[in-house]
Amino acid sequence: MTVANGNGSWLERSRKAVWHPCTQMKLHETLPLVPIARGEGAWLTDFAGNRYFDAVSSWWVNLFGHCNPRINAAIIAQLGELEHVMLAGFTHAPVIALSERLGALAPAGLGHAFYGSDGASAVEIALKMAFHYWHNQGQPQKTGFVSLAGSYHGETLGALGVTDVALFRDTYAPLLTRHATVPSPDARNARGTEDARAVAGRAADALERHLQRHHTTTAAVIVEPLVQGAIGMAMHHPHYLERARAACTQHGVLLIADEIMTGFGRTGTLFAWEQANTPAPDFLCLSKGITGGYLPLSAVLTTDAVFDAFYADDASRGFLHSHSYTGNALACRAALAVLDIFRDDDVLAQNRARGARWSTMMQDFAKHPKVHDFRRQGMIFAFEIETDRPDFSRWCFAEGLARGMLLRPLGRTLYFMPPYITTDDEFAQLVECAQQIADNA
Ligand SMILES: *Cc1c(COP(=O)(O)O)cnc(C)c1O
């Protein structure tokens, strides 16, 4: 659709009527908003016909391109049957099928799915369930949570309480419950001759020491497995997850894996957790790619042990949490179409080959004098740009757009997280654009 004859430009109208997320609105006095008319594959087209390659998958949600014919068809079919029904007291085919399939695909033992509408609500659900689990077990003093330095788990007040990104957190600190932070296993923290596994081991030692001291008051540890996204694509060795799992089991603390960003193939496996040689976490939080970037949906998968602790005649032992759109039928149907694509196109194997080819394509670029710490995990490529520009991320965003690329650096970390349908040619264009940005940074 177009916006009918309003007054003024798109820019002015959107600035007045729409309060845009994660934005100082005054910035848009000088930086134009980009009005998108259409999407197709990995490309977005504005009303003037300019095309932008969606190198960040629209904030990490898109997997198989915009206006994907198969996901479109699934949603259209579902529209003819049922758009939504409340999930308290009612159920429907897409939510049952999705819960069973997620349970079968996730690390073993996560057979119960509770739904929310976005990532932050999934984190809230996992935190509340973990606390309530211990409450029901007669241990109401276990109220604390532990997260990693640089963690990001969303921006509602509960999720922000376990988030350690100053930009999002500091202003609201007086509103937040202070939870413990332990060192990040970020491989770039290596000292001397340490490799990534050794850094992970050292960070795990610190977690273990913390739990030894505080386990009686700790409900759960929450981690972003393999890649801490929002802090700047900090990557770690799966050994950390093995040690964290063992430490939580030993000390009677629940473990929450926040795979909101890493899930659905981003790190090379369907879920990042699979790369650790260890039993499942107690909670797996999923969102972002779950509907291929179509509709808001999140899920928290958990175990029989957690589910059973709530199962009783007493209503207050139940998990009395709800969101209006819990288990929305259209969103579940989109998620089922996404899982069909993974299966039918053997996406994970294709991505392994793509990831390897694209890494090779970046070999020369990684040696650019202004590029540091090139790293990759599956379909996430990240590197630091050395620059004196104080406004690098804004400048880079504008430079990218001028070259037909949607790039949104995190500080000086530039990353590519393209949709999985990206071609080698498109990826080559992306690398060329990054080359020009590095030359001028
Ligand atoms: C994006 C993200 C969230 C929050 O999800 P929203 O849908 O933005 O609320 C939580 N955790 C991680 C790891 C994320 O990347």
Side-chain angles (χ1 to χ4, degrees):
M1 67 177 277
T2 54
V3 177
N5 292 327
N7 299 316
S9 69
W10 281 93
L11 167 59
E12 283 168 51
R13 291 173 60 200
S14 199
R15 266 205 304 134
K16 277 192 196 132
V18 184
W19 195 338
H20 292 268
C22 204
T23 300
Q24 168 49 265
M25 288 298 292
K26 191 164 191 294
L27 182 69
H28 284 307
E29 284 182 6
T30 49
L31 181 74
L33 285 152
V34 187
I36 296 300
R38 316 187 59 78
E40 191 187 356
W43 295 85
L44 297 163
T45 307
D46 70 14
F47 279 84
N50 300 309
R51 282 166 28 100
Y52 308 95
F53 178 81
D54 192 351
V56 300
S57 293
S58 285
W59 257 353
W60 319 347
V61 299
N62 193 290
L63 303 186
F64 300 117
H66 297 276
C67 291
N68 181 290
R70 284 186 274 179
I71 305 174
N72 285 9
I75 294 172
I76 291 166
Q78 185 59 38
L79 269 174
E81 294 168 18
L82 173 71
E83 80 300 336
H84 179 72
V85 63
M86 62 189 286
L87 204 65
F90 295 85
T91 193
H92 54 78
V95 79
I96 298 169
L98 180 61
S99 307
E100 289 178 351
R101 281 179 75 178
L102 289 175
L105 290 165
L110 297 169
H112 305 273
F114 194 100
Y115 290 90
S117 318
D118 50 45
S121 66
V123 169
E124 300 283 338
I125 288 162
L127 297 175
K128 283 179 70 179
M129 261 188 195
F131 159 77
H132 198 161
Y133 168 86
W134 291 116
H135 189 276
N136 284 352
Q137 299 288 65
Q139 299 205 55
Q141 79 291 351
K142 282 167 87 74
T143 57
F145 296 101
V146 179
S147 66
L148 303 185
S151 58
Y152 179 89
H153 298 291
E155 293 170 54
T156 54
L157 292 177
L160 205 49
V162 290
T163 287
D164 183 42
V165 180
L167 178 68
F168 302 128
R169 184 190 165 99
D170 285 359
T171 308
Y172 306 102
L175 304 181
L176 305 176
T177 310
R178 185 78 226 157
H179 292 295
T181 308
V182 292
S184 165
D186 182 349
R188 290 171 299 172
N189 294 339
R191 294 178 189 154
T193 57
E194 276 183 337
D195 59 8
R197 193 174 191 282
V199 181
R202 181 157 52 79
D205 291 343
L207 173 65
E208 232 158 56
R209 282 195 299 275
H210 179 89
L211 292 182
Q212 257 159 28
R213 242 178 293 142
H214 300 289
H215 64 95
T216 56
T217 54
T218 302
V221 172
I222 183 166
V223 296
E224 293 162 84
L226 298 189
V227 185
Q228 295 182 263
I231 195 67
M233 302 300 158
M235 299 180 184
H236 60 254
H237 193 281
H239 181 59
Y240 186 77
L241 306 175
E242 295 158 5
R243 292 277 311 273
R245 175 67 277 182
C248 286
T249 303
Q250 186 193 338
H251 294 290
V253 168
L254 294 169
L255 180 53
I256 303 167
D258 175 352
E259 294 228 23
I260 290 164
M261 187 271 278
T262 56
F264 299 98
R266 264 303 155 196
T267 66
T269 42
L270 191 61
F271 301 113
W273 196 268
E274 296 166 38
Q275 296 183 44
N277 184 15
T278 192
D282 300 290
F283 300 94
L284 186 68
C285 299
L286 303 173
S287 189
K288 291 212 164 100
I290 193 169
T291 64
Y294 268 67
L295 289 162
L297 181 73
S298 62
V300 178
L301 307 188
T302 191
T303 61
D304 288 345
V306 169
F307 183 78
D308 292 347
F310 290 78
Y311 200 80
D313 292 321
D314 178 0
S316 72
R317 283 183 71 99
F319 191 58
L320 306 184
H321 180 102
S322 59
H323 297 285
S324 313
Y325 283 97
T326 294
N328 175 262
L330 291 171
C332 289
R333 189 69 180 263
L336 287 166
V338 163
L339 293 180
D340 286 346
I341 296 174
F342 270 103
R343 181 195 57 207
D344 297 344
D345 294 3
D346 201 4
V347 170
L348 296 170
Q350 297 287 339
N351 278 359
R352 274 195 290 280
R354 270 184 203 111
R357 285 200 306 276
W358 295 352
S359 257
T360 309
M361 287 163 67
M362 292 193 76
Q363 250 167 22
D364 288 339
F365 173 73
K367 293 180 201 132
H368 191 288
K370 288 190 180 165
V371 172
H372 299 286
D373 290 316
F374 175 76
R375 54 201 184 275
R376 171 174 84 96
Q377 178 69 58
M379 299 299 276
I380 306 171
F381 302 76
F383 45 90
E384 309 303 305
I385 299 277
E386 190 183 303
T387 175
D388 294 329
R389 290 179 182 276
D391 61 343
F392 172 75
S393 69
R394 226 180 295 159
W395 173 82
C396 177
F397 175 70
E399 286 291 301
L401 285 183
R403 296 177 159 84
M405 293 285 158
L406 198 181
L407 295 167
R408 228 185 116 95
L410 298 157
R412 286 171 191 174
T413 306
L414 190 51
Y415 67 91
F416 305 150
M417 210 196 268
Y420 305 159
I421 45 117
T422 298
T423 64
D424 290 359
D425 270 356
E426 288 166 340
F427 197 82
Q429 290 175 47
L430 187 55
V431 178
E432 192 185 321
C433 173
Q435 174 92 36
Q436 289 163 0
I437 284 171
D439 287 344
N440 297 312

